[in-house]
Amino acid sequence: MIDNKKSKKEGYVSAFEINDNRFAGKSGLLSYWKLNITNNFNYNYTELISIFIEDTERFNRRISKAFADISDFNNFNLGVLPDYSQIKCLEESAKKEAEKEAEDIFLSEKLDWTDKLKQQKSQLEEYFKQKREAVENIKVENIKKGKLSNLASDYDLELEQLKEKEELFPKLDCVQLAYVEFK
């Protein structure tokens, strides 16, 4: 049976021993964090972030990156959990590191998304410019005036929708915790 402790609010924490010479002698809390970035319209990006905090509360980027692909580890044994207060302390450190990683990812995604929206705006402006030129060729003045008014309303609506799509909302949740000892 896996050694785990449960809190009604916080879920389970499991403990594992892993035989891996690369990290022998290291132990700490492994956490997985799910970052979801959305604009509540048509943009949705999800990434899983692995964070390993050593018992000394030091973030270990090398082990964290190794756990990004769990298939690298194939020799697991059951482990023993340390005191709950130590787990909570390590979890807080992991949360801080996950927030830093998430912020870097978010800023990169926001930059890419903003560039894409700028391109869409440019295409939209070109489209409405061509439509306006076509409407300007209408000879009947009241029809031309009505079409230009509708065109301006449509353009404003499209610009407003693009502006609403621009705002991105990040959400970061811890989805798994495990205490890991490397042998």
Side-chain angles (χ1 to χ4, degrees):
M1 181 172 190
I2 294 176
D3 181 16
N4 58 37
K5 294 182 181 175
K6 182 180 181 195
S7 160
K8 288 181 182 178
K9 279 176 118 177
E10 298 157 0
Y12 286 99
V13 177
S14 300
F16 299 98
E17 291 179 352
I18 301 176
N19 294 320
D20 189 317
N21 291 333
R22 296 177 298 173
F23 311 120
K26 300 283 186 190
S27 59
L29 187 71
L30 170 66
S31 58
Y32 284 98
W33 301 79
K34 181 179 174 184
L35 173 63
N36 190 336
I37 303 171
T38 183
N39 69 352
N40 294 329
F41 288 96
N42 61 344
Y43 183 86
N44 193 18
Y45 176 85
T46 301
E47 186 164 328
L48 196 62
I49 302 169
S50 59
I51 301 290
F52 186 83
I53 301 294
E54 294 180 21
D55 286 334
T56 59
E57 296 184 40
R58 183 181 155 271
F59 171 57
N60 190 313
R61 184 172 305 280
R62 189 169 159 238
I63 296 176
S64 297
K65 294 299 178 199
F67 272 107
D69 181 8
I70 195 70
S71 65
D72 286 349
F73 302 101
N74 54 20
N75 195 352
F76 288 85
N77 295 313
L78 301 180
V80 178
L81 282 172
D83 182 70
Y84 180 76
S85 61
Q86 183 182 2
I87 293 287
K88 287 305 293 173
C89 190
L90 294 175
E91 182 183 9
E92 284 303 314
S93 296
K95 182 179 180 182
K96 288 176 187 171
E97 289 300 326
E99 287 170 348
K100 288 178 192 175
E101 294 278 327
E103 183 178 12
D104 290 345
I105 294 166
F106 175 76
L107 292 175
S108 174
E109 286 300 310
K110 180 147 180 80
L111 184 62
D112 290 347
W113 182 242
T114 300
D115 288 346
K116 185 175 181 179
L117 288 179
K118 282 180 184 176
Q119 184 180 12
Q120 287 180 5
K121 183 179 179 184
S122 176
Q123 291 170 344
L124 181 73
E125 288 170 345
E126 181 62 29
Y127 170 78
F128 276 98
K129 178 183 170 198
Q130 290 175 1
K131 292 263 299 187
R132 182 174 177 80
E133 289 171 356
V135 170
E136 291 288 346
N137 289 329
I138 295 175
K139 301 293 183 208
V140 181
E141 201 58 39
N142 63 340
I143 293 175
K144 178 173 29 175
K145 189 175 180 180
K147 294 257 186 200
L148 285 173
S149 176
N150 289 344
L151 192 61
S153 295
D154 291 348
Y155 179 72
D156 290 343
L157 180 65
E158 290 287 335
L159 281 181
E160 183 62 32
Q161 287 177 348
L162 267 181
K163 188 167 180 63
E164 288 175 358
K165 290 177 182 178
E166 190 174 319
E167 191 161 357
L168 296 179
F169 306 98
K171 183 179 180 201
L172 183 66
D173 293 310
C174 182
V175 293
Q176 186 174 12
L177 294 174
Y179 186 77
V180 177
E181 292 181 86
F182 289 97
K183 300 292 180 181

